[in-house]
Amino acid sequence: KGAADFYPVLSTRERWGRFLLGQGDLAGAQEQFDEVLSQAHGRKLTPIVLAHGGLARLALARGDAPAAVAESTTAIDMFEHVDGFRNVRTGPYLWLIRAEALRRSGDRTGARDWAQRALEASRRYDDSASAAIRDAETALQASKG
């Protein structure tokens, strides 16, 4: 019922895009992330930040490391200046995307730094058995190999 640029609608679209991406529906995910960005209107809201992260993941899925690096840069820069609601766990999520983009672009040092940062934050914010910690540990190991 909300307007297309209403925060809850943006949030729902971004989450749906993440779900579709996880299911392998790249075109559907692209459509959702693009719609979130088309409704941004210059705002720096968490769903918009996450949509950039989603586009970085899409670029990785398509084997386009330079686009993934660019989108992850945009997501992280915007997250550092987000307006309104800010979940501290969003940072580590984005940092892992950045780590993978850098790893695939050949920057293993940068990848290791971002993965380490994500791991430290996840250990601070999450339960010791959380998937976020395992994902960060996996990213850190990948950056070393």
Side-chain angles (χ1 to χ4, degrees):
K1 292 183 181 183
D5 64 351
F6 186 44
Y7 188 104
V9 173
L10 296 175
S11 183
T12 300
R13 281 190 174 281
E14 184 280 323
R15 287 181 189 194
W16 184 243
R18 261 193 284 166
F19 172 79
L20 293 173
L21 181 57
Q23 298 299 306
D25 183 355
L26 303 187
Q30 179 85 50
E31 181 181 339
Q32 296 305 314
F33 298 142
D34 287 346
E35 180 61 21
V36 170
L37 296 184
S38 77
Q39 298 298 330
H41 309 308
R43 297 174 296 172
K44 296 176 181 176
L45 304 172
T46 297
I48 297 162
V49 168
L50 289 167
H52 282 290
L55 290 176
R57 289 181 58 207
L58 274 171
L60 288 168
R62 293 175 173 146
D64 188 349
V69 169
E71 285 295 344
S72 69
T73 299
T74 299
I76 289 169
D77 288 348
M78 190 177 287
F79 179 67
E80 291 174 357
H81 302 96
V82 74
D83 296 324
F85 176 76
R86 177 186 176 108
N87 183 333
V88 294
R89 289 178 179 90
T90 300
Y93 169 76
L94 295 172
W95 302 338
L96 288 179
I97 296 169
R98 177 80 173 158
E100 183 61 14
L102 290 173
R103 187 184 71 78
R104 292 215 202 154
S105 73
D107 182 357
R108 291 198 177 274
T109 301
R112 186 180 62 248
D113 291 347
W114 284 101
Q116 182 66 48
R117 183 176 180 181
L119 179 58
E120 290 169 5
S122 292
R123 283 181 175 156
R124 185 170 45 251
Y125 302 137
D126 295 308
D127 182 78
S128 61
S130 77
I133 291 173
R134 286 191 310 275
D135 291 346
E137 289 170 340
T138 299
L140 188 58
Q141 286 298 336
S143 69
K144 294 177 181 178

